[in-house]
Amino acid sequence: MLEIEAHELYNLEDKVLVDVRSPSEYNEFHIPGAINLPIFEDEEKKIIGFIYRTQGTQKAKDFGYSIAQSKLARIFDSFRKLKDNHRYVIVYCWRGGMRSQELCKALSSAGIQVIRLKGGYRAYRQFILQDIQNRLRGVNFLVLTGKTGVGKSKILRLLKMEGLPVIDLEDLAQDRGSVFGKVGKKTKVSQKMFDALLYESLRGINCDYAFIEDESRCVGNIHLPDVLWSKKEEGVFIELENSMENRVKNILEEYTKVEGWEEEVRQSLERIKKYLGESDYTEALNMLKNKKYETLVKFLIETHYDRRYRVSKKPIYTINCSDIQRCKAELIKIFDTYSKICPSSFPR
């Protein structure tokens, strides 16, 4: 059986990672880019677990083997196709245990040579959490800060499209970090999945500076690694400004894309009721009910968000983003001022 350590994954080109855990395990977290070819479906895994708890290890193994045997022809066919298209096929489960071991043995007996990730996802996670610090050692941050709605996320997306190095924490977390942060966001990201996505983003940075948004230690339920947050606090802060009209427009564009957002806003208003007070809370609910969305957004900006806005570090630059293309151009100039190490392919 061929095995590979987690850190060796990045030495291989033309590879595909195969997560053989159940679909729900895969959906909760997996190595970015991996595909899911489960040995057991969710319900099958539950039954095996029940047998293990009530009848013991051997009974659970026997039942698991009987299920796997019935799927071998389909599994072999799937792996043959993967081998036809990739030089390396790497298999992993949670901790490199029975699922990946037995599958690799069965594949080998059928003449299908794959590689097993030693220690499984758990070993991969241990590796990336340790290596994040190494990845950050040579990176400095240009930190975009500014009041709600000025367009920080929009600007980060534009900079990324231009090929500049960007760490978009809110996009990775699928949360905007406020009480309204999940409005219109249907994808749930676990801490483990966020850490994996963050690590892959950091691996993609080959400049000495990168853009990042000013965030607190937590983005919704996601906790930022301490080393990343500290590095961000040491960065060059750039405050973005915008008109109230544009701020309202940006928020409505960002938050109202997905059906059902109104109910999510109502629930979010309930959570900040104690901060708004009974009168303002009732007024905000009425605006939502009467579909006075622009009025509601302006009301919340003025009565809640702007009053709570604080800059943790004095900005070195202040840029007006009413003209978003001009704002982008100014940020690129700042990047050029600071960044001395970047691929020659970048249009400097």
Side-chain angles (χ1 to χ4, degrees):
M1 186 186 301
L2 295 177
E3 293 183 326
I4 191 172
E5 300 282 352
H7 70 273
E8 296 176 298
L9 287 173
Y10 298 96
N11 298 331
L12 302 181
E13 297 183 1
D14 189 19
K15 65 178 179 289
V16 60
L17 288 132
V18 183
D19 188 321
V20 298
R21 298 174 303 149
S22 67
S24 62
E25 291 177 288
Y26 172 85
N27 289 334
E28 184 180 0
F29 56 85
H30 55 269
I31 299 176
I35 64 171
N36 187 212
L37 291 177
I39 298 176
F40 305 120
E41 298 298 324
D42 292 331
E43 194 59 37
E44 293 167 341
K45 185 172 178 293
K46 288 179 183 177
I47 295 172
I48 293 171
F50 176 77
I51 294 173
Y52 172 79
R53 292 189 300 273
T54 58
Q55 301 180 43
T57 304
Q58 192 57 50
K59 289 285 187 181
K61 284 184 178 179
D62 291 343
F63 184 72
Y65 282 133
S66 67
I67 293 175
Q69 284 288 338
S70 68
K71 301 179 179 182
L72 281 183
R74 175 180 59 79
I75 291 173
F76 288 171
D77 184 56
S78 296
F79 274 92
R80 286 192 184 97
K81 290 177 181 176
L82 290 174
K83 284 291 293 181
D84 287 342
N85 294 307
H86 301 277
R87 184 177 180 184
Y88 302 107
V89 177
I90 304 164
V91 175
Y92 73 90
C93 57
W94 165 231
R95 53 185 179 183
M98 187 171 297
R99 282 181 284 184
S100 60
Q101 286 183 25
E102 295 303 318
L103 177 60
C104 287
K105 289 178 184 177
L107 290 168
S108 180
S109 68
I112 306 170
Q113 190 63 63
V114 299
I115 302 172
R116 175 174 163 267
L117 175 59
K118 191 174 181 181
Y121 185 90
R122 186 167 66 172
Y124 163 81
R125 177 164 171 77
Q126 290 171 346
F127 164 69
I128 66 170
L129 291 180
Q130 293 170 358
D131 201 43
I132 279 176
Q133 186 165 349
N134 297 328
R135 292 287 157 186
L136 284 168
R137 191 163 288 132
V139 178
N140 304 287
F141 286 123
L142 300 170
V143 186
L144 303 188
T145 189
K147 295 178 179 179
T148 300
V150 295
K152 297 185 292 294
S153 295
K154 185 184 290 188
I155 282 290
L156 285 176
R157 289 193 291 268
L158 287 175
L159 292 170
K160 193 171 184 177
M161 289 172 63
E162 290 289 337
L164 278 86
V166 169
I167 299 295
D168 192 339
L169 296 172
E170 293 187 0
D171 183 59
L172 297 178
Q174 284 296 291
D175 196 308
R176 303 180 190 89
S178 71
V179 71
F180 294 90
K182 292 296 291 184
V183 173
K185 299 280 189 181
K186 299 304 180 185
T187 303
K188 293 183 179 181
V189 176
S190 67
Q191 183 71 52
K192 289 184 177 68
M193 193 71 235
F194 172 83
D195 292 336
L197 292 169
L198 173 62
Y199 179 74
E200 297 300 326
S201 292
L202 289 171
R203 282 191 61 85
I205 293 178
N206 46 11
C207 300
D208 53 345
Y209 275 84
F211 287 98
I212 196 170
E213 184 174 348
D214 187 17
E215 297 286 354
S216 62
R217 290 183 180 271
C218 292
V219 182
N221 294 325
I222 299 299
H223 181 81
L224 302 184
D226 290 340
V227 62
L228 175 73
W229 189 83
S230 297
K231 194 82 171 184
K232 184 267 296 181
E233 287 294 288
E234 297 169 358
V236 177
F237 276 61
I238 305 167
E239 185 168 24
L240 305 186
E241 296 180 340
N242 216 324
S243 66
M244 178 62 74
E245 180 183 359
N246 284 340
R247 291 171 66 192
V248 171
K249 181 181 177 182
N250 287 337
I251 289 173
L252 287 175
E253 286 179 353
E254 187 73 25
Y255 286 68
T256 63
K257 296 175 182 177
V258 179
E259 185 178 350
W261 66 269
E262 295 96 334
E263 175 58 23
E264 293 176 354
V265 169
R266 189 197 65 75
Q267 293 173 4
S268 297
L269 285 171
E270 177 70 29
R271 289 196 286 273
I272 61 170
K273 181 178 179 180
K274 63 180 179 180
Y275 301 108
L276 291 175
E278 191 67 42
S279 177
D280 284 350
Y281 170 71
T282 302
E283 188 173 353
L285 278 183
N286 287 332
M287 292 175 191
L288 180 63
K289 181 180 179 180
N290 294 320
K291 302 186 184 301
K292 296 181 178 179
Y293 302 136
E294 291 185 2
T295 305
L296 172 62
V297 172
K298 186 172 184 289
F299 177 78
L300 289 173
I301 287 175
E302 292 177 338
T303 62
H304 183 65
Y305 281 100
D306 280 5
R307 290 181 181 181
R308 298 167 68 86
Y309 174 68
R310 299 288 185 275
V311 179
S312 60
K313 184 177 178 181
K314 185 176 180 181
I316 295 180
Y317 301 93
T318 299
I319 301 176
N320 188 291
C321 286
S322 294
D323 184 333
I324 197 165
Q325 294 300 325
R326 182 177 295 177
C327 178
K328 180 186 73 174
E330 289 192 41
L331 287 169
I332 291 176
K333 287 181 182 178
I334 293 172
F335 176 81
D336 272 341
T337 299
Y338 284 88
S339 182
K340 305 304 178 186
I341 303 173
C342 217
S344 58
S345 58
F346 179 72
R348 300 173 66 82

